[in-house]
């Protein structure tokens, strides 16, 4: 059985979606822990109520990124994860941390990468007049919001969309593709080679 550790900073709705799909679909996996860099992260309560171990590594207690990353990795490794899933984890991770989890570190980002890395993606999508928006699950590499793309959801931008409406539709799509990508990772279906990911069974990695 694979051990999954999920990192959150706030609401944790993607974490919830993974926890729920894992239980509902009976994956050969368990959520070993939910770890946050913020003591008040809303998602911690959801996890604790379901008997999932929780931990907080408060980034404010560390002098620099590397010291924070080292302690975070020490705590995470206590749960011996096969997969580490960043789910709304809003801290930049240092290279040492990323390399330590190379090949078993996934993230979800609310844009069609490589477009719109960073923050306020929906606002920037609207300001650019994009007709298509979406979300991306990718393997994490040291460069922020980059790394081999696992799966994308694409959806139209409506003429009357505001940031909140677009964010809500993208989030709903995130809740579909992230659990699916994690499930496929757990099942050994994701083949990562030369920076490209394919599904071994030929399943589509695009949701439209
Ligand atoms: C999600 O939209 C996720 O894609 C985004 O933060 C939100 C977290 O929501 N992540 C990033 O922007 C990472 N660069 P959640 O806490 O409810 O899952």
């Amino acid at each position: 059985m694979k051990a999954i550790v999920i990192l959150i900073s706030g609401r944790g709705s993607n974490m919830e979606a993974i926890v729920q799909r894992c239980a509902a679909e009976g994956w050969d996996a368990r959520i070993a822990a939910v770890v946050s860099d913020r003591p008040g992260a809303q998602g911690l309560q959801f996890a604790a109520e379901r008997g999932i171990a929780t931990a907080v590594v408060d980034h404010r207690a560390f002098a620099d990124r590397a010291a924070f990353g080292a302690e975070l990795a020490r705590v995470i490794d206590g749960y011996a994860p096969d997969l580490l899933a960043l789910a709304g984890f809003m801290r930049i991770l240092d290279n040492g941390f990323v390399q330590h989890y190379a090949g078993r570190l996934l993230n979800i980002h609310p844009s069609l990468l490589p477009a719109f890395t960073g923050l306020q993606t929906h606002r920037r999508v609207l300001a650019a007049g994009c007709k298509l928006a979406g979300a991306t699950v990718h393997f994490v590499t040291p460069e922020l919001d980059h790394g081999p793309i696992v799966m994308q959801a694409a959806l139209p931008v409506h003429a009357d969309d505001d940031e909140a409406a677009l964010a809500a539709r993208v989030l709903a799509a995130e809740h579909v593709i992230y659990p699916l990508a994690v499930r496929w990772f757990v099942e050994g279906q994701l083949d990562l080679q030369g920076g490209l990911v394919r599904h071994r069974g030929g399943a589509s990695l695009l949701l439209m």
Side-chain angles (χ1 to χ4, degrees):
M1 179 171 279
K2 296 275 192 327
I4 302 171
V5 170
I6 304 176
L7 261 55
I8 64 168
S9 292
R11 182 178 53 187
S13 70
N14 277 289
M15 175 271 297
E16 281 189 33
I18 293 168
V19 168
Q20 281 163 350
R21 302 297 336 143
C22 180
E25 296 171 358
W27 303 353
D28 188 21
R30 64 190 179 86
I31 311 305
V34 172
V35 181
S36 173
D37 63 317
R38 296 183 192 164
Q42 239 181 293
L44 289 170
Q45 196 185 339
F46 171 91
E49 282 168 6
R50 273 149 195 84
I52 298 169
T54 61
V56 174
V57 181
D58 190 338
H59 62 270
R60 292 169 302 189
F62 298 89
D64 56 42
R65 214 186 286 292
F68 168 66
E71 175 60 9
L72 188 61
R74 192 191 64 76
V75 169
I76 291 166
D77 284 347
Y79 300 101
D82 298 290
L83 172 66
L84 188 54
L86 308 182
F89 187 72
M90 302 311 272
R91 300 228 69 78
I92 295 174
L93 295 161
D94 66 283
N95 287 359
F97 182 97
V98 171
Q99 264 142 26
H100 180 63
Y101 297 103
R104 53 182 174 132
L105 180 52
L106 290 175
N107 180 43
I108 187 151
H109 182 76
S111 79
L112 291 171
L113 292 175
F116 302 106
T117 60
L119 299 173
Q120 300 180 329
T121 52
H122 307 300
R123 185 178 306 179
R124 289 185 288 137
V125 161
L126 291 171
C130 292
K131 308 305 174 214
L132 205 56
T136 304
V137 177
H138 65 98
F139 281 102
V140 175
T141 55
E143 196 181 346
L144 182 67
D145 296 331
H146 278 76
I149 290 172
V150 175
M151 193 160 188
Q152 290 187 310
L155 44 92
V157 177
H158 299 159
D160 60 351
D161 264 340
D162 59 14
E163 210 179 325
L166 182 57
R169 289 208 315 287
V170 171
L171 190 65
E174 293 182 41
H175 295 164
V176 177
I177 62 168
Y178 208 7
L180 195 49
V182 169
R183 177 183 175 160
W184 282 338
F185 181 94
V186 163
E187 293 174 350
Q189 294 282 13
L190 298 180
D191 180 30
L192 167 59
Q193 274 183 54
L196 298 176
V197 179
R198 65 174 192 94
H199 184 279
R200 292 183 202 277
S204 172
L205 296 170
L206 168 66
L207 175 80
M208 284 194 79

